[in-house]
Amino acid sequence: MKAIYVETLIRGSLGELWQLTRAPDAHQRWDLRFSSIDYLPRTDPAQPQAFRYTTHLGFGVAITGEGETVGTHAGQDGVSTSALRFWSEDGKSLIAEGSGYWQYRPEQTGVRFITRYEYGVRFGLLGRWFDALVFRPLIGWATAWSFDRLRLWIEAGIPPEVSLRHTVVYTLARLMVAALWIYQGVAPKLLTRQGDEQFLLAAAGAPATLVTPALVAMGVAELLFGLVVLISWPARWPLWSTVVLMAVALVTVALSAPHYLVGAFNPVSLNSALATLAAIALFLSELTPTAQRCRRRPAATDSL
């Protein structure tokens, strides 16, 4: 199995980044992988710092584990590296033990923050399959999402709790934009060839012989566009396109068939709602963490 690698550039000071990643009360706020992190007492400062972590899975289920920071090194080039190892004796934990590091590389525009870690799993062949197919992609995504959440905290002053609320609202808005595009393409155009849809096309100037083919083509286009909104999750252009297309469609209906604007279910309510949802997602897109902003593989010139 490949090690999990995540890298991001944070435009802030090394001191602030160090504090927010090394202090347990701050670390547990931005890292999605942990619900709580506690340093354990130590009598000798020269000894590794031990810690205990807990991850709540919901429905009262929690997984606990322990670890220790086994070394911190600051090179002459200003690069700092903190190595750690971790393990869990909790029988519910897929992870049995692992190790990795955090690295802080000062650059002219900020600090390049990097992690690389590997772990072994329980439950034999079944555990290895589940790790490869589900858990490893999920925890890699959670690590990258958390790194971007930390970046927003430092660069934009957005607390992690607010970032989470942004994520919920952005996700709901974007999902609904995609769902409405898909529904409007499939239900009234591809499945039922709804009469009002055909009338609107004819009123807009489509020849009678082309109304049905045009309706099918529009249905396919709307279905595909809805899928694009989902697949290209961090991209902003589908949201901008939605706002513009809804405005154009509303003006077209107003000019060609204005009586539709006052119906019980009409383009004013539908197009305005869809455009508003897209605008909300647009507004939050730069304020919402996303794993796609992080590099998931080291550069070819990097040494691990």
Side-chain angles (χ1 to χ4, degrees):
M1 288 292 183
K2 292 183 178 179
I4 292 175
Y5 180 93
V6 176
E7 172 186 333
T8 190
L9 177 64
I10 297 179
R11 292 172 175 81
S13 70
L14 176 57
E16 184 178 14
L17 178 58
W18 185 270
Q19 173 63 25
L20 295 181
T21 55
R22 302 289 293 179
D25 56 342
H27 182 186
Q28 67 191 24
R29 290 178 62 189
W30 61 264
D31 200 329
L32 191 63
R33 297 169 296 174
F34 307 105
S35 303
S36 66
I37 304 171
D38 299 294
Y39 276 173
L40 301 179
R42 60 176 175 174
T43 57
D44 185 356
Q47 294 298 314
Q49 173 63 66
F51 59 87
R52 179 180 293 111
Y53 64 85
T54 302
T55 301
H56 294 290
L57 304 179
F59 305 102
V61 179
I63 291 175
T64 60
E66 295 184 358
E68 60 182 15
T69 300
V70 297
T72 301
H73 171 71
Q76 294 182 350
D77 55 0
V79 175
S80 296
T81 303
S82 176
L84 57 87
R85 65 186 190 93
F86 50 91
W87 61 91
S88 176
E89 297 179 359
D90 189 333
K92 300 186 297 297
S93 175
L94 178 66
I95 295 177
E97 47 77 30
S99 62
Y101 66 79
W102 280 356
Q103 191 170 82
Y104 310 75
R105 297 183 185 178
E107 297 186 1
Q108 186 175 2
T109 56
V111 181
R112 193 162 297 278
F113 185 41
I114 301 169
T115 189
R116 184 178 187 271
Y117 61 94
E118 182 56 285
Y119 56 85
V121 301
R122 290 188 171 89
F123 312 125
L125 182 61
L126 182 61
R128 292 193 294 273
W129 282 353
F130 181 78
D131 178 58
L133 296 176
V134 179
F135 186 77
R136 188 169 295 257
L138 183 61
I139 198 170
W141 170 86
T143 304
W145 186 89
S146 298
F147 270 40
D148 201 47
R149 191 187 195 186
L150 174 63
R151 180 191 65 82
L152 286 170
W153 194 6
I154 293 175
E155 292 185 0
I158 302 174
E161 299 79 9
V162 175
S163 287
L164 183 59
R165 290 197 290 269
H166 285 173
T167 299
V168 172
V169 176
Y170 174 81
T171 300
L172 291 175
R174 185 148 191 154
L175 287 176
M176 187 54 67
V177 169
L180 286 174
W181 273 112
I182 293 171
Y183 179 84
Q184 287 299 314
V186 172
K189 296 180 178 67
L190 297 180
L191 293 182
T192 64
R193 313 284 172 84
Q194 213 269 339
D196 285 343
E197 295 277 1
Q198 297 188 46
F199 177 85
L200 288 171
L201 280 173
T209 55
L210 296 180
V211 166
T212 298
L215 189 64
V216 172
M218 286 180 60
V220 171
E222 290 180 2
L223 168 62
L224 294 177
F225 190 80
L227 295 175
V228 167
V229 174
L230 289 176
I231 295 171
S232 61
W233 191 260
R236 291 164 56 86
W237 69 264
L239 302 173
W240 277 115
S241 299
T242 297
V243 174
V244 173
L245 289 171
M246 290 303 99
V248 170
L250 186 58
V251 170
T252 301
V253 173
L255 294 176
S256 60
H259 63 280
Y260 272 92
L261 301 181
V262 295
F265 303 98
N266 62 75
V268 175
S269 56
L270 174 62
N271 292 25
S272 299
L274 186 51
T276 300
L277 287 169
I280 291 171
L282 270 171
F283 176 76
L284 290 176
S285 61
E286 297 299 320
L287 307 175
T288 300
T290 175
Q292 283 84 348
R293 293 195 184 103
C294 296
R295 179 186 289 177
R296 302 295 300 276
R297 296 180 181 178
T301 55
D302 290 345
S303 59
L304 297 179

